[in-house]
Amino acid sequence: MTSGGPPVPDTTSAVPAERKRLVSGPGLLLVWLYGVMVVGALSRSAYQISTAFDRAPLAYSLSAVAALVYAFITYSLVRGGEKARRAALLCCAAELAGVLAVGAWTLVRPEAFPEATVWSDFGMGYLFIPVILPITGMLWLRKR
C-alpha cells in the first residue's frame, strides 16, 4: 500500500554511483600499507621534531613530508572516484621521485643527513617499502 507521497530516494548506497571504489581486492592491502606508513612516518617525525629538531632539521622535515604524502594517498584511495584516483596517481609519482632523490642524496652526500629519514637509502630502514609502495600504487591505480 502506498501513501501517495513523493518517492523516497534510495539512500542505501554508501558510495555515489559516479565514485568508483579503489579499495577493493589488492587495493585494500595498498590502503592498509599506506596507513601503516602514515603512522610510522608521522610518529617518527613528530618525536624527532619535538625532541631533537636542531640535530637534523632536513632529515626530520623530510620524514614529516613523507607522512603527509602517505596520508594524502591513503585518503585519496579511501575516497575513491576518478579525481581521487588521478590525485593519488600523481602523488605516488611525486612520492617515488622523492624517494629516489632523497635515497640517492643520502648515498652521495651522507654528511647532509646526520640522521636517517623515512626515504634514506631508498627506504632501507623501512624494508624498502617506501620505494616499492609508490610503484605498486601507480600500477594499481593505472589498472583502475
Side-chain angles (χ1 to χ4, degrees), residues 59-77:
Y60 300 159
S61 297
L62 285 172
S63 289
V65 168
L68 292 174
V69 169
Y70 296 144
F72 181 79
I73 294 170
T74 304
Y75 169 77
S76 296
L77 290 171

Side-chain angles (χ1 to χ4, degrees), residues 2-128:
T2 62
S3 64
V8 178
D10 178 19
T11 58
T12 58
S13 173
V15 179
E18 69 276 358
R19 193 178 308 157
K20 186 175 182 181
R21 288 182 50 88
L22 298 173
V23 292
S24 60
L28 189 57
L29 177 61
L30 197 61
V31 168
W32 185 83
L33 285 171
Y34 268 114
V36 168
M37 293 304 290
V38 170
V39 172
L42 186 61
S43 58
R44 174 187 184 140
S45 64
Y47 175 77
Q48 291 171 325
I49 288 170
S50 66
T51 60
F53 185 72
D54 58 331
R55 189 178 332 155
L58 177 61
Y60 300 159
S61 297
L62 285 172
S63 289
V65 168
L68 292 174
V69 169
Y70 296 144
F72 181 79
I73 294 170
T74 304
Y75 169 77
S76 296
L77 290 171
V78 170
R79 177 160 170 71
E82 182 57 23
K83 241 175 147 173
R85 185 194 68 78
R86 281 186 272 133
L89 188 58
L90 180 66
C91 210
C92 283
E95 174 195 357
L96 181 59
V99 172
L100 295 176
V102 172
W105 192 2
T106 57
L107 293 177
V108 173
R109 300 277 319 261
E111 68 277 3
F113 295 89
E115 297 287 330
T117 74
V118 174
W119 295 342
S120 291
D121 303 318
F122 306 104
M124 187 178 354
Y126 285 80
L127 304 173
F128 296 103

